[in-house]
Structures are given as C-alpha cells and as structure tokens.
Amino acid sequence: MKSSSSRRVLHAAVAAALGVASAMAGTVTNAAPSPAAAPGSRQVSPPWPSAPLSRAQCLDIALAWNGNLRKGRHDIAESHGIALQQKSASLPRLATTGAYNRIDEGKIERVAFNPAAPPVAFANNQNWNVTLTASQPLFAGGKLRSAARSSRLTVQAALANYHALVASTLLDVRVAYDDALLASEQIRVQEASLRLLERELADTRRRFETGTVPRFNVLRAEVEVANAKPRLIRARNALRNTRNSLAVQLGFDIPAGTDRDIPLETSEDRKSTRLNSSHAN
C-alpha cells in the first residue's frame, strides 16, 4: 500500500513539473535560442523571459528547471529501480542454457562394412542441447523480508529527500527574489540622494557667487556628491549580483565571466517603478 502511494506521489511530482514547463511557453517567449535547445538535443535550461516575472512565476520556473530539483527527480526514479532490484530477491527465477556444435564432415570417422554399401559414420555432424531451470526461494533466514522492507524504505527516503529539497529551493528562490527587490529599491534611494545632493551643490554655488556662503560650503557639497556616486555604483552591482543569483536558482544558463546585465526583471520591481514615478509627478 505504501509502495503504491509513493508511486502516485512520484508521478504527480513529475507530471506537475512537466506541466509547469509546458505552461511557461506563454511567459518566456521571444527569447534567443540557446545552444542547449538545438534540434535533436534535450533542452537543459528555460529561454530568457520577455516580460517581468512575478514571485509565483519564479517559483513555478524553479520547480520545473532548477538543477537540484531535476537531479532529485532522477534520484527518485533511481530509487525505484533499486527497490525493484531488492524485491527481485523473492521473485521466481527462470534460467536457460543452450549449446550447439557442428563437426566438419572430413573429421568424422566412417567405416565400410560391405564394399557394395556406403560407409557408416559413427557420429552426427550436428548436435545441440537446451536446459531450462525454474527456481523459487522459499526461506532465506529473513533475507527476503528484509529486502522487501529495504525496498520500501529506499523509495520513502528518496521522496522525503526530494520534499526537503523542494522546500529548501523554494525558500532560496523567495530570498533571492526579495533580495533583487531590495537591491532595486536601494538603487532608487541612491539615485534620489544623488539628485538631491546635486541640486544642493548647484544651490550652494549660486549662493557662493552672490557672496552669502563661503567657499568651504561649496567644497563640502562637492565632496558629498562625489561620495554618493560610489554608493550608487555599489547598489547597481548588488542588483546585478542578486539577479544572477535568482537566475541560477531558476535554472537559467548564465555564460561564465559575463559582466552584462541579464534580461531578468521582477514584476514587483516594475510596479514599484510606476508607483514611484506617479508620486514624483
């Protein structure tokens, strides 16, 4: 009973992953073909999305394409094979052997008993034999019962490991998604801070030209603007790193050593941009 329920769980997990992969076609379209998706080969990574991804869409993509989860599904299939091998110890066994020999006609001894009669051969030039053996183990000192129990535990352990791996992967995707949102907001904060400091610098220069503030105020405003620019650069680098981390969790193929921004954007990030622009207007 437990074995049949574990098989149903396995089939449901694999079917859900395949369904998610096929449903992604409406979200990740108009993407450049990957070398892994060439004709005649199996696609190992999803195409890059042409629209911002929501948190739920990222979770669905991770379930279908995350490398660890795909390996976990293969491990479950492998555990079923091991379980079948362990169960086979108590199944009937059927063995067959056979042999066929052919002797050269010239090497067979022939004796003529009558000169008028043809010689008689004392061996056939062809002979064969077939042996069929059937066996059924009846008692093995508890080995058969232990093998059946071990087969069930093997499948259950693989399913438990896969469930833990799914929970860990989805948590990592949520954290990476929120990190990308945080990095995007930090960029907006640093950009707004830089614009404010630049306006203060321009205002301080006008006051210096009119003689209302000393030269020291202008220098201090210039230093503050110069210090704000590295903070903006670090925030942009952080966003690039968090998006790369999220893309890895989703199973996207990122070229090694690339220093360009990947085409991955979050829908919450786009929504926050529109909200901030409306407040600014």
Short mmCIF file of all heavy atoms in Angstrom, two decimals, residues 136-172:
data_model
loop_
_atom_site.label_atom_id
_atom_site.label_comp_id
_atom_site.label_asym_id
_atom_site.label_seq_id
_atom_site.Cartn_x
_atom_site.Cartn_y
_atom_site.Cartn_z
N GLN A 136 12.38 -21.02 -7.11
CA GLN A 136 11.62 -20.09 -6.28
C GLN A 136 12.17 -20.16 -4.86
O GLN A 136 12.09 -21.20 -4.21
CB GLN A 136 10.13 -20.45 -6.29
CG GLN A 136 9.29 -19.72 -5.24
CD GLN A 136 9.19 -18.23 -5.54
OE1 GLN A 136 8.86 -17.85 -6.65
NE2 GLN A 136 9.48 -17.40 -4.56
N PRO A 137 12.74 -19.05 -4.35
CA PRO A 137 13.24 -19.08 -2.96
C PRO A 137 12.07 -19.16 -1.98
O PRO A 137 11.11 -18.39 -2.08
CB PRO A 137 14.01 -17.77 -2.82
CG PRO A 137 13.45 -16.87 -3.87
CD PRO A 137 13.03 -17.76 -5.00
N LEU A 138 12.16 -20.07 -1.05
CA LEU A 138 11.11 -20.25 -0.04
C LEU A 138 11.51 -19.73 1.32
O LEU A 138 10.69 -19.15 2.03
CB LEU A 138 10.74 -21.75 0.05
CG LEU A 138 10.22 -22.38 -1.24
CD1 LEU A 138 9.94 -23.86 -1.01
CD2 LEU A 138 8.97 -21.66 -1.73
N PHE A 139 12.74 -19.91 1.70
CA PHE A 139 13.19 -19.45 3.01
C PHE A 139 14.67 -19.06 2.90
O PHE A 139 15.47 -19.81 2.34
CB PHE A 139 13.01 -20.55 4.05
CG PHE A 139 13.49 -20.13 5.43
CD1 PHE A 139 12.76 -19.25 6.20
CD2 PHE A 139 14.69 -20.63 5.93
CE1 PHE A 139 13.21 -18.86 7.46
CE2 PHE A 139 15.13 -20.25 7.19
CZ PHE A 139 14.40 -19.36 7.95
N ALA A 140 14.97 -17.87 3.40
CA ALA A 140 16.36 -17.39 3.35
C ALA A 140 16.78 -16.78 4.68
O ALA A 140 17.60 -15.86 4.72
CB ALA A 140 16.54 -16.38 2.22
N GLY A 141 16.17 -17.22 5.78
CA GLY A 141 16.56 -16.72 7.09
C GLY A 141 16.22 -15.25 7.33
O GLY A 141 16.96 -14.55 8.01
N GLY A 142 15.13 -14.75 6.80
CA GLY A 142 14.75 -13.35 6.98
C GLY A 142 15.29 -12.41 5.93
O GLY A 142 14.99 -11.21 5.95
N LYS A 143 16.08 -12.91 4.99
CA LYS A 143 16.67 -12.06 3.96
C LYS A 143 15.61 -11.50 3.02
O LYS A 143 15.68 -10.34 2.61
CB LYS A 143 17.71 -12.86 3.19
CG LYS A 143 18.37 -12.08 2.07
CD LYS A 143 19.37 -12.94 1.34
CE LYS A 143 20.00 -12.17 0.18
NZ LYS A 143 20.99 -13.00 -0.57
N LEU A 144 14.61 -12.32 2.67
CA LEU A 144 13.59 -11.87 1.74
C LEU A 144 12.73 -10.78 2.36
O LEU A 144 12.41 -9.78 1.72
CB LEU A 144 12.72 -13.07 1.31
CG LEU A 144 13.47 -14.23 0.66
CD1 LEU A 144 12.50 -15.34 0.30
CD2 LEU A 144 14.22 -13.75 -0.57
N ARG A 145 12.33 -10.95 3.63
CA ARG A 145 11.53 -9.93 4.30
C ARG A 145 12.33 -8.64 4.46
O ARG A 145 11.80 -7.54 4.30
CB ARG A 145 11.07 -10.45 5.65
CG ARG A 145 10.19 -9.47 6.42
CD ARG A 145 9.75 -10.05 7.75
NE ARG A 145 8.98 -11.29 7.54
CZ ARG A 145 8.54 -12.03 8.54
NH1 ARG A 145 8.81 -11.70 9.81
NH2 ARG A 145 7.84 -13.13 8.29
N SER A 146 13.60 -8.76 4.77
CA SER A 146 14.44 -7.57 4.91
C SER A 146 14.59 -6.84 3.58
O SER A 146 14.59 -5.61 3.53
CB SER A 146 15.82 -7.98 5.43
OG SER A 146 16.69 -6.86 5.49
N ALA A 147 14.69 -7.59 2.47
CA ALA A 147 14.81 -6.95 1.15
C ALA A 147 13.54 -6.20 0.79
O ALA A 147 13.60 -5.09 0.24
CB ALA A 147 15.13 -8.00 0.10
N ALA A 148 12.36 -6.78 1.10
CA ALA A 148 11.10 -6.09 0.81
C ALA A 148 10.98 -4.80 1.63
O ALA A 148 10.56 -3.76 1.12
CB ALA A 148 9.93 -7.02 1.10
N ARG A 149 11.34 -4.88 2.91
CA ARG A 149 11.28 -3.69 3.77
C ARG A 149 12.30 -2.64 3.31
O ARG A 149 12.01 -1.45 3.30
CB ARG A 149 11.55 -4.08 5.22
CG ARG A 149 11.44 -2.93 6.21
CD ARG A 149 11.51 -3.45 7.64
NE ARG A 149 11.43 -2.37 8.61
CZ ARG A 149 12.49 -1.72 9.08
NH1 ARG A 149 13.71 -2.08 8.68
NH2 ARG A 149 12.34 -0.75 9.95
N SER A 150 13.48 -3.07 2.92
CA SER A 150 14.50 -2.14 2.45
C SER A 150 14.07 -1.44 1.17
O SER A 150 14.36 -0.25 0.98
CB SER A 150 15.81 -2.89 2.22
OG SER A 150 16.81 -2.03 1.72
N SER A 151 13.36 -2.14 0.30
CA SER A 151 12.89 -1.51 -0.95
C SER A 151 11.89 -0.40 -0.66
O SER A 151 11.93 0.66 -1.29
CB SER A 151 12.27 -2.57 -1.86
OG SER A 151 11.11 -3.13 -1.27
N ARG A 152 10.99 -0.63 0.31
CA ARG A 152 10.02 0.41 0.67
C ARG A 152 10.73 1.62 1.29
O ARG A 152 10.42 2.77 0.97
CB ARG A 152 8.98 -0.15 1.63
CG ARG A 152 8.05 -1.18 1.02
CD ARG A 152 6.84 -1.42 1.93
NE ARG A 152 7.26 -1.88 3.26
CZ ARG A 152 7.40 -3.16 3.58
NH1 ARG A 152 7.17 -4.11 2.68
NH2 ARG A 152 7.75 -3.51 4.81
N LEU A 153 11.67 1.36 2.18
CA LEU A 153 12.38 2.46 2.84
C LEU A 153 13.23 3.25 1.86
O LEU A 153 13.40 4.47 2.02
CB LEU A 153 13.25 1.90 3.97
CG LEU A 153 12.51 1.26 5.15
CD1 LEU A 153 13.49 0.73 6.17
CD2 LEU A 153 11.55 2.27 5.79
N THR A 154 13.76 2.58 0.85
CA THR A 154 14.57 3.29 -0.15
C THR A 154 13.75 4.32 -0.90
O THR A 154 14.16 5.47 -1.08
CB THR A 154 15.19 2.28 -1.13
OG1 THR A 154 16.04 1.38 -0.42
CG2 THR A 154 16.01 3.00 -2.20
N VAL A 155 12.55 3.93 -1.32
CA VAL A 155 11.68 4.86 -2.05
C VAL A 155 11.20 5.97 -1.12
O VAL A 155 11.17 7.15 -1.50
CB VAL A 155 10.49 4.10 -2.66
CG1 VAL A 155 9.52 5.07 -3.33
CG2 VAL A 155 10.98 3.07 -3.66
N GLN A 156 10.82 5.63 0.10
CA GLN A 156 10.35 6.64 1.05
C GLN A 156 11.44 7.65 1.38
O GLN A 156 11.18 8.85 1.50
CB GLN A 156 9.83 5.97 2.31
CG GLN A 156 8.56 5.15 2.12
CD GLN A 156 8.18 4.38 3.36
OE1 GLN A 156 8.81 4.51 4.40
NE2 GLN A 156 7.13 3.56 3.24
N ALA A 157 12.68 7.18 1.52
CA ALA A 157 13.79 8.10 1.81
C ALA A 157 14.03 9.05 0.63
O ALA A 157 14.29 10.24 0.83
CB ALA A 157 15.05 7.30 2.12
N ALA A 158 13.95 8.52 -0.59
CA ALA A 158 14.15 9.38 -1.77
C ALA A 158 13.05 10.43 -1.86
O ALA A 158 13.31 11.60 -2.18
CB ALA A 158 14.17 8.53 -3.03
N LEU A 159 11.80 10.05 -1.57
CA LEU A 159 10.70 11.02 -1.60
C LEU A 159 10.87 12.07 -0.50
O LEU A 159 10.63 13.26 -0.74
CB LEU A 159 9.38 10.29 -1.44
CG LEU A 159 8.91 9.44 -2.63
CD1 LEU A 159 7.66 8.66 -2.27
CD2 LEU A 159 8.66 10.31 -3.85
N ALA A 160 11.28 11.65 0.69
CA ALA A 160 11.47 12.60 1.78
C ALA A 160 12.60 13.59 1.44
O ALA A 160 12.47 14.79 1.69
CB ALA A 160 11.78 11.86 3.08
N ASN A 161 13.68 13.09 0.87
CA ASN A 161 14.77 13.98 0.47
C ASN A 161 14.33 14.96 -0.60
O ASN A 161 14.72 16.14 -0.59
CB ASN A 161 15.96 13.15 -0.03
CG ASN A 161 16.63 12.35 1.07
OD1 ASN A 161 16.55 12.72 2.24
ND2 ASN A 161 17.28 11.26 0.71
N TYR A 162 13.50 14.49 -1.52
CA TYR A 162 13.02 15.38 -2.58
C TYR A 162 12.10 16.47 -2.01
O TYR A 162 12.19 17.63 -2.42
CB TYR A 162 12.29 14.57 -3.65
CG TYR A 162 11.78 15.43 -4.79
CD1 TYR A 162 12.65 15.96 -5.72
CD2 TYR A 162 10.42 15.69 -4.92
CE1 TYR A 162 12.19 16.74 -6.77
CE2 TYR A 162 9.94 16.47 -5.96
CZ TYR A 162 10.83 16.99 -6.88
OH TYR A 162 10.36 17.77 -7.90
N HIS A 163 11.22 16.10 -1.09
CA HIS A 163 10.34 17.09 -0.48
C HIS A 163 11.15 18.15 0.28
O HIS A 163 10.85 19.35 0.21
CB HIS A 163 9.36 16.41 0.47
CG HIS A 163 8.36 15.54 -0.23
ND1 HIS A 163 7.66 14.54 0.40
CD2 HIS A 163 7.97 15.51 -1.53
CE1 HIS A 163 6.87 13.94 -0.47
NE2 HIS A 163 7.05 14.51 -1.65
N ALA A 164 12.19 17.71 1.01
CA ALA A 164 13.05 18.67 1.71
C ALA A 164 13.79 19.56 0.72
O ALA A 164 13.96 20.77 0.95
CB ALA A 164 14.03 17.92 2.60
N LEU A 165 14.22 18.98 -0.39
CA LEU A 165 14.92 19.76 -1.41
C LEU A 165 14.00 20.79 -2.05
O LEU A 165 14.41 21.92 -2.33
CB LEU A 165 15.50 18.82 -2.47
CG LEU A 165 16.39 19.44 -3.54
CD1 LEU A 165 17.61 20.08 -2.91
CD2 LEU A 165 16.82 18.37 -4.55
N VAL A 166 12.74 20.42 -2.28
CA VAL A 166 11.77 21.37 -2.85
C VAL A 166 11.56 22.54 -1.90
O VAL A 166 11.58 23.71 -2.31
CB VAL A 166 10.44 20.66 -3.14
CG1 VAL A 166 9.34 21.67 -3.45
CG2 VAL A 166 10.60 19.71 -4.32
N ALA A 167 11.38 22.24 -0.60
CA ALA A 167 11.16 23.32 0.37
C ALA A 167 12.38 24.24 0.45
O ALA A 167 12.24 25.47 0.49
CB ALA A 167 10.86 22.72 1.74
N SER A 168 13.58 23.67 0.45
CA SER A 168 14.79 24.49 0.51
C SER A 168 14.96 25.34 -0.74
O SER A 168 15.33 26.52 -0.66
CB SER A 168 16.00 23.57 0.70
OG SER A 168 17.21 24.31 0.68
N THR A 169 14.68 24.76 -1.90
CA THR A 169 14.83 25.51 -3.15
C THR A 169 13.84 26.65 -3.24
O THR A 169 14.20 27.77 -3.65
CB THR A 169 14.66 24.56 -4.35
OG1 THR A 169 15.64 23.52 -4.28
CG2 THR A 169 14.82 25.31 -5.66
N LEU A 170 12.58 26.40 -2.88
CA LEU A 170 11.58 27.47 -2.94
C LEU A 170 11.93 28.59 -1.96
O LEU A 170 11.70 29.77 -2.26
CB LEU A 170 10.20 26.88 -2.62
CG LEU A 170 9.65 25.89 -3.64
CD1 LEU A 170 8.25 25.44 -3.23
CD2 LEU A 170 9.63 26.48 -5.05
N LEU A 171 12.48 28.24 -0.80
CA LEU A 171 12.91 29.28 0.14
C LEU A 171 14.04 30.10 -0.46
O LEU A 171 14.04 31.34 -0.35
CB LEU A 171 13.36 28.63 1.45
CG LEU A 171 13.93 29.59 2.51
CD1 LEU A 171 12.90 30.63 2.92
CD2 LEU A 171 14.42 28.81 3.72
N ASP A 172 15.00 29.45 -1.09
CA ASP A 172 16.11 30.18 -1.71
C ASP A 172 15.61 31.09 -2.82
O ASP A 172 16.13 32.21 -3.00
CB ASP A 172 17.13 29.19 -2.27
CG ASP A 172 17.85 28.41 -1.19
OD1 ASP A 172 17.84 28.89 -0.02
OD2 ASP A 172 18.40 27.33 -1.48
#
